[in-house]
Amino acid sequence: VEALIPEHQRDAWKKFQAKPWVSKDDFEKEVVRHVETTLARSMFNCDETAAYAAASLAFRDRLITEWNRTQQRQTFADTKRVYYLSLEFLMGRALDNAMLNVGLKNVAKEGLSELGFRIEDIINQEHDAALGNGGLGRLAACFLDSMASLNFPAWGYGLRYKYGIFKQEIVDGYQVEVPDYWLDFNPWEFPRHDIVVDVQFYGGVRKYQDDDGKNVAVWEGGEIVRAVAYDVPIPGFNTPTTNNMRLWSSKAASGEFDFQKFNSGDYESSVADQQRAETISAVLYPNDNLDRGKELRLKQQYFWVAASLYDIVRRFKKSKRAWSEFPDQIAIQLNDTHPTLAIVELQRILIDMEGLDWDEAWAIVTNTFGYTNHTVLPEALEKWSVPLFQNLLPRHLQIIYDINMFFLQSVERKFPGDRDMLARVSIIEESQPKMVRMAFLAIVGSHKVNGVAELHSDLIRTTIFKDFVKIFGPDKFTNVTNGITPRRWLHQANPRLSELIASKTGGLGFLKDLNVLNELEKFADDKEFKKEWAEIKYANKVKLAKYIKSTTGVTVNPSALFDIQVKRIHEYKRQQLNIFGVIHRYLTIKAMTAEERKKLAPRVSIFGGKAAPGYWMAKTIIHLINNVGAVVNKDPDVGDLLKVIFLEDYNVSKAEIITPASDISEHISTAGTEASGTSNMKFVLNGGLIIGTCDGANIEITREIGENNIFLFGNLAEDVEDLRHTHNYGSHTLDPDLVKVFDLIKSDAFGDAGAFGALTGSIEDHGDYYLVSDDFHSYIKTQALVDEAYKNQDEWITKTILSVARMGFFSSDRCINEYAEMIWNVEPLPVEKESGLGKEE
Ligand code: GPU
């Protein structure tokens, strides 16, 4: 390894090397030092914000020394690395996670207390890093945690958005979006002003033959935007391994800032140029499961992909290996199709810049990439218009056409004369305008394609990618069922449950080997254990009840059944089915005698989630939920029997409060539409049961925990197509109970019914695409079973213990090990444990 410091001077460096602190006193010393020097404050003006800042900086210092060691080790060992390309990383807060992963939370707690602060208050100062929309972005965050915890040499590459997902406010029952400017103070990132990449856009391509008769393409002209690296350390749990997440920020390239204009007095337009460059990484697109084809989004994608690949290739070139070894050294995983341009960019680098021939380059490319698909919804499958491409990335479009030509030639050889097949699988859709089908490009340019739950992987193999299975054979297509990190989603979110489990399974080992949870089965009928278990659930519900009171003003009874649905608002996820069910329950209660009401299990229906700003139907659903709550919550006939709550601004840190507090959570998508779901796993892992459809990972959860421990309902994926056909071309009569619900809405019981006409109309008049009416009866019946089951608390608790005991499979560690073995072919590379990890149990 090359180094700037000569051999003789290195001893001094070694002698004075930064050492991570471990003791409480050292922690306090660091906090005080940061308050007094880094922040230029003192004990007389150190508020909670400053204490948060100083505590974070103290942990950041620790992480960065380990980060350095990890990176040196990885560079020195020169083994294969993984690069996870994702436009979203929904990280949430970092301080609590850092403290727990390095095993020093108790040290910090005592230290902060001696300095006059409560650790919870300090943790709560942190602004979520919300660079993602929902499940896809949170999955990327769980994967980073697992890759570091398992000692894989792995980097995440993403965009450093100035504005993450918007903050949601509810005003008069409507969603209002407020920008999320989160970078005011972010101690977790390291600007690397020396790591910059200039990225080209627009311009044209000049082709010629060189002296050897070789075809050469030169992409020239256009404009340059500079990418600056910001590094975020990712600490593994109970290991020194600290990986890197590199996020790119855009700014004007120095040559581009037009000093001529500046000097000639055209100050405004030179500033405008700067701002245009910065626009690229300004804002996260707030759509979940939806492609809108905006030029700026394509710019974001290329900017991020080009900077990341330049970085990866530069690192590879330092090793002086032959190009053919590239796929032995590097695995790149594409998180959905958003980074698919990386395939084209690597091919461009190899043929245009490095002079390899097409076939040699293409073998390298396809052996490097893996592609994960996260949806079958047609409106989410990315397509880019050819004219837009032609203008922004002219050379890339040529390469795509060449990739497509060679691909279609191979299809023609395999299926001679099948012109329909060629039209179906072409990367270019022959529409007006022509479109580039990014999923097809991703398949053709990768060596493995995976779905994220068994049903989903089966569906992509038999529907949207069917032809490609015929072309490439079945082995290219595989399944890796999603997982979640038990560190954040059990240990951090539910410390008391984690502690109880640790006390019965011999320490915190279960957090690294989640199958150890199996040992809990023997306590499923243990009276003492069940009592503690139930107390923890109750305490978590009390905490949520307090949060509900403080944010909505509504008092909820913590003994009531907490029924929670928190996720992005989407018609396919069917929050409308849930709220119609709530209205049905309201009607039922209103019709009951006082005696009958006494027998009913009280319920709190809790909703949370953001609607994409342009998604009117989703916003209408939010509006209805809020209006139903306003009526039900103050109806004296109802009292504690039913409360309806909409929690504003659902995000990762709120999920950490909400998830441990459920009795039942809802995962009720139309069968075949939710690729996996991951909150289903989080809720069960925290001792909640679920009501759900046979969709996504619900099916595998059922297989693992047993069908007695889950409330399944509704039509199956295989029947959806026929039902939709009947709605459109046969007779379509609505469920009579649903009709009563609609009648109540139409009577203006929840405000002017005009506001909800589009919602009820989508079901009554427009084909009920999501099968709300078809599943309504089954849903209501199953909710009644939930009521009954909840009355027998003893059995209920046993069910939840057995379920937790059987959730080991859903650790994202299992998931990452599967990717490593089946797709990446990488091995862990542990870092020596010389330094001071906390030994907290
Ligand atoms: N997912 Br595509 C998103 O959160 N956003 C998207 O744009 C797309 C998929 C989700 C799936 O809806 C969810 O079922 C899955 O669990 C998650 O990705 C992670 O795979």
Side-chain angles (χ1 to χ4, degrees):
V1 185
E2 266 177 69
L4 296 172
I5 307 300
E7 195 66 46
H8 286 297
Q9 280 71 33
R10 291 189 200 168
D11 283 346
W13 283 84
K14 283 179 188 150
K15 187 167 153 200
F16 298 117
Q17 202 166 43
K19 292 260 159 46
W21 55 265
V22 254
S23 73
K24 174 173 60 72
D25 284 0
D26 286 348
F27 169 69
E28 289 180 51
K29 197 166 128 194
E30 288 301 298
V31 170
V32 171
R33 181 175 69 80
H34 279 300
V35 169
E36 293 185 345
T37 63
T38 318
L39 305 172
R41 294 205 189 200
S42 72
M43 72 166 100
F44 302 107
N45 64 356
C46 181
D47 55 11
E48 283 172 353
T49 325
Y52 160 70
S56 297
L57 291 166
F59 273 93
R60 175 179 93 157
D61 291 344
R62 259 200 70 98
L63 296 193
I64 218 64
T65 33
E66 299 293 46
W67 183 94
N68 270 323
R69 280 203 320 127
T70 306
Q71 298 315 313
Q72 275 165 28
R73 169 96 174 100
Q74 291 176 5
T75 306
F76 189 71
D78 200 24
T79 52
K80 189 169 185 178
R81 286 190 212 193
V82 181
Y83 296 107
Y84 196 78
L85 267 56
S86 181
L87 255 195
E88 305 189 8
F89 286 97
L90 195 43
M91 304 296 284
R93 288 174 175 162
L95 176 59
D96 202 0
N97 182 247
M99 295 190 300
L100 289 167
N101 277 16
V102 303
L104 289 167
K105 187 170 179 182
N106 286 329
V107 167
K109 184 178 172 169
E110 283 177 36
L112 283 168
S113 153
E114 288 186 8
L115 295 172
F117 296 96
R118 277 171 28 133
I119 195 166
E120 299 78 32
D121 300 334
I122 299 310
I123 289 168
N124 282 331
Q125 296 302 310
E126 186 171 352
H127 198 112
D128 278 33
L131 306 185
N133 275 287
L136 175 144
R138 182 54 230 178
L139 186 76
C142 284
F143 281 7
L144 291 184
D145 184 79
S146 282
M147 290 190 291
S149 298
L150 295 167
N151 302 311
F152 283 107
W155 285 37
Y157 273 108
L159 270 187
R160 180 181 177 270
Y161 303 107
K162 197 164 174 184
Y163 297 93
I165 188 68
F166 63 85
K167 280 179 154 308
Q168 178 193 55
E169 286 179 8
I170 301 296
V171 178
D172 298 333
Y174 293 95
Q175 167 175 298
V176 174
E177 299 94 26
V178 178
D180 168 48
Y181 181 76
W182 67 293
L183 291 170
D184 244 356
F185 175 75
N186 177 13
W188 303 103
E189 64 175 12
F190 287 80
R192 301 280 193 195
H193 293 293
D194 54 330
I195 300 178
V196 296
V197 181
D198 285 347
V199 179
Q200 185 178 1
F201 292 101
Y202 306 106
V205 182
R206 185 164 50 88
K207 284 190 171 175
Y208 64 93
Q209 283 198 337
D210 69 7
D211 297 346
D212 310 329
K214 212 176 154 179
N215 290 318
V216 181
V218 185
W219 179 20
E220 52 196 11
E223 64 178 50
I224 305 287
V225 178
R226 178 158 297 173
V228 183
Y230 284 73
D231 287 346
V232 181
I234 308 293
F237 180 80
N238 192 26
T239 168
T241 299
T242 304
N243 282 338
N244 195 26
M245 172 170 72
R246 177 159 287 175
L247 304 179
W248 300 103
S249 180
S250 62
K251 67 173 206 174
S254 49
E256 288 289 289
F257 187 77
D258 199 332
F259 287 97
Q260 213 54 48
K261 275 187 198 166
F262 191 86
N263 289 329
S264 65
D266 197 358
Y267 178 72
E268 275 177 45
S269 90
S270 84
V271 171
D273 287 349
Q274 291 248 42
Q275 282 182 342
R276 232 158 54 83
E278 285 172 23
T279 302
I280 292 181
S281 61
V283 54
L284 165 77
Y285 274 90
N287 301 315
D288 183 270
N289 270 288
L290 178 70
D291 170 46
R292 303 248 291 174
K294 289 273 202 265
E295 169 162 355
L296 180 60
R297 169 80 166 189
L298 186 58
K299 270 189 152 179
Q300 289 187 333
Q301 294 185 348
Y302 182 63
F303 171 79
W304 149 64
V305 153
S308 305
L309 268 179
Y310 185 91
D311 209 39
I312 292 166
V313 168
R314 177 167 49 103
R315 202 168 296 124
F316 174 78
K317 283 171 94 170
K318 276 200 209 157
S319 75
K320 305 251 158 59
R321 290 171 187 265
W323 283 110
S324 58
E325 290 180 60
F326 194 88
D328 306 327
Q329 291 300 104
I330 290 161
I332 303 178
Q333 192 64 27
L334 307 175
N335 197 22
D336 215 88
T337 53
H338 318 145
T340 301
L341 274 171
I343 288 169
V344 190
E345 176 70 357
L346 182 58
Q347 182 72 5
R348 186 184 74 86
I349 292 171
L350 295 177
I351 62 175
D352 287 359
M353 324 292 280
E354 302 294 341
L356 276 68
D357 14 307
W358 180 278
D359 289 342
E360 197 185 353
W362 188 242
I364 293 169
V365 169
T366 51
N367 284 316
T368 300
F369 289 99
Y371 156 52
T372 306
N373 170 279
H374 294 266
T375 189
V376 297
L377 298 187
E379 67 270 28
L381 298 178
E382 279 191 303
K383 288 178 189 176
W384 291 106
S385 108
V386 165
L388 192 121
F389 234 109
Q390 169 67 45
N391 183 40
L392 189 69
L393 300 166
R395 178 61 185 142
H396 293 78
L397 186 62
Q398 290 176 347
I399 294 173
I400 291 171
Y401 270 94
D402 287 345
I403 292 171
N404 196 35
M405 181 186 70
F406 290 124
F407 168 60
L408 292 181
Q409 282 172 358
S410 77
V411 176
E412 170 67 26
R413 280 195 296 276
K414 195 154 183 185
F415 301 95
D418 192 343
R419 301 205 52 92
D420 289 347
M421 163 83 94
L422 292 181
R424 285 199 306 270
V425 301
S426 175
I427 294 169
I428 306 297
E429 180 183 272
E430 297 294 326
S431 44
Q432 197 52 256
K434 293 189 171 123
M435 303 291 264
V436 183
R437 297 156 157 167
M438 301 306 271
F440 292 5
L441 178 56
I443 296 171
V444 173
S446 301
H447 68 288
K448 284 276 180 191
V449 176
N450 75 285
V452 290
E454 275 179 23
L455 173 68
H456 169 64
S457 297
D458 287 344
L459 283 174
I460 62 178
R461 278 187 286 241
T462 53
T463 62
I464 53 176
F465 302 153
K466 183 168 92 203
D467 291 320
F468 292 88
V469 175
K470 282 197 207 138
I471 293 164
F472 291 109
D475 293 351
K476 179 160 176 167
F477 296 83
T478 183
N479 171 251
V480 184
T481 298
N482 282 166
I484 55 170
T485 169
R487 274 76 64 177
R488 182 175 295 257
W489 296 113
L490 182 52
H491 192 43
Q492 180 178 324
N494 201 344
R496 280 189 65 189
L497 193 64
S498 181
E499 201 183 323
L500 176 62
I501 294 169
S503 75
K504 299 293 179 190
T505 60
L508 293 178
F510 71 97
L511 293 172
K512 281 256 191 172
D513 177 7
L514 204 60
N515 288 316
V516 168
L517 288 178
N518 262 177
E519 294 174 25
L520 295 178
E521 288 220 15
K522 60 176 178 281
F523 299 101
D525 288 314
D526 180 317
K527 234 178 131 196
E528 201 44 44
F529 183 83
K530 286 171 79 174
K531 196 170 149 249
E532 282 182 66
W533 187 269
E535 272 170 19
I536 292 168
K537 177 59 76 179
Y538 186 77
N540 291 332
K541 289 168 70 179
V542 169
K543 187 173 168 198
L544 180 57
K546 283 190 181 143
Y547 180 76
I548 290 171
K549 178 79 188 175
S550 75
T551 52
T552 67
V554 180
T555 308
V556 301
N557 179 357
S559 304
L561 190 163
F562 279 21
D563 174 340
I564 304 183
Q565 187 178 18
V566 283
K567 50 183 88 230
R568 287 297 290 253
I569 312 292
H570 212 297
E571 285 166 282
Y572 89 78
K573 295 178 190 281
R574 297 200 297 189
Q575 283 91 355
Q576 71 276 38
L577 174 60
N578 185 345
I579 193 64
F580 295 152
V582 168
I583 297 172
H584 176 268
R585 181 175 292 265
Y586 178 59
L587 280 169
T588 311
I589 294 170
K590 293 292 272 188
M592 278 176 164
T593 64
E595 275 312 298
E596 286 169 324
R597 285 182 190 156
K598 275 189 201 141
K599 288 187 217 136
L600 198 68
R603 230 188 233 243
V604 183
S605 275
I606 300 165
F607 294 81
K610 294 171 187 179
Y615 190 173
W616 294 106
M617 195 67 87
K619 288 185 152 177
T620 302
I621 295 170
I622 293 177
H623 187 198
L624 178 61
I625 295 167
N626 280 298
N627 282 18
V628 170
V631 171
V632 170
N633 296 345
K634 64 173 193 337
D635 188 329
D637 288 347
V638 174
D640 261 3
L641 290 181
L642 182 60
K643 288 278 180 275
V644 182
I645 305 295
F646 190 93
L647 290 173
E648 204 171 65
D649 197 40
Y650 176 61
N651 63 12
V652 172
S653 56
K654 279 160 201 161
E656 289 166 20
I657 303 169
I658 295 166
T659 316
S662 83
D663 294 306
I664 277 282
S665 63
E666 308 216 10
H667 309 275
I668 58 177
S669 47
T670 311
T673 62
E674 188 70 277
S676 160
T678 43
S679 75
N680 42 5
M681 303 166 190
K682 293 166 197 168
F683 281 105
V684 178
L685 186 62
N686 281 278
L689 300 184
I690 65 187
I691 179 168
T693 43
C694 294
D695 201 16
N698 291 353
I699 295 170
E700 287 145 278
I701 292 175
T702 308
R703 185 190 306 157
E704 293 293 310
I705 71 178
E707 56 188 1
N708 292 330
N709 299 318
I710 189 164
F711 297 91
L712 292 177
F713 74 96
N715 283 286
L716 302 179
E718 56 200 88
D719 300 320
V720 168
E721 207 184 292
D722 286 350
L723 284 164
R724 281 180 181 156
H725 191 85
T726 325
H727 295 175
N728 292 321
Y729 304 102
S731 68
H732 185 211
T733 41
L734 293 193
D735 181 277
D737 283 322
L738 186 60
V739 171
K740 288 182 196 149
V741 168
F742 285 4
D743 287 345
L744 188 64
I745 294 173
K746 286 173 191 168
S747 75
D748 292 342
F750 308 110
D752 181 5
F756 311 115
L759 179 56
T760 51
S762 71
I763 294 160
E764 289 175 308
D765 312 321
H766 296 110
D768 190 12
Y769 188 77
Y770 296 101
L771 274 51
V772 172
S773 176
D774 304 82
D775 284 347
F776 195 68
H777 183 68
S778 172
Y779 177 66
I780 297 298
K781 248 180 38 191
T782 307
Q783 281 287 17
L785 294 179
V786 172
D787 286 321
E788 273 316 296
Y790 195 69
K791 284 179 190 163
N792 189 338
Q793 273 297 298
D794 201 49
E795 272 182 28
W796 184 279
I797 293 162
T798 296
K799 282 179 195 287
T800 64
I801 296 170
L802 288 176
S803 300
V804 173
R806 298 168 183 174
M807 283 298 284
F809 180 77
F810 299 99
S811 169
S812 45
D813 295 349
R814 183 268 312 152
C815 193
I816 286 300
N817 279 322
E818 288 183 9
Y819 277 97
E821 199 176 305
M822 295 199 305
I823 300 175
W824 302 333
N825 192 27
V826 287
E827 303 281 338
L829 180 71
V831 183
E832 288 126 66
K833 219 173 191 169
E834 73 174 21
S835 61
L837 274 178
K839 289 177 198 61
E840 277 179 6
E841 280 285 309

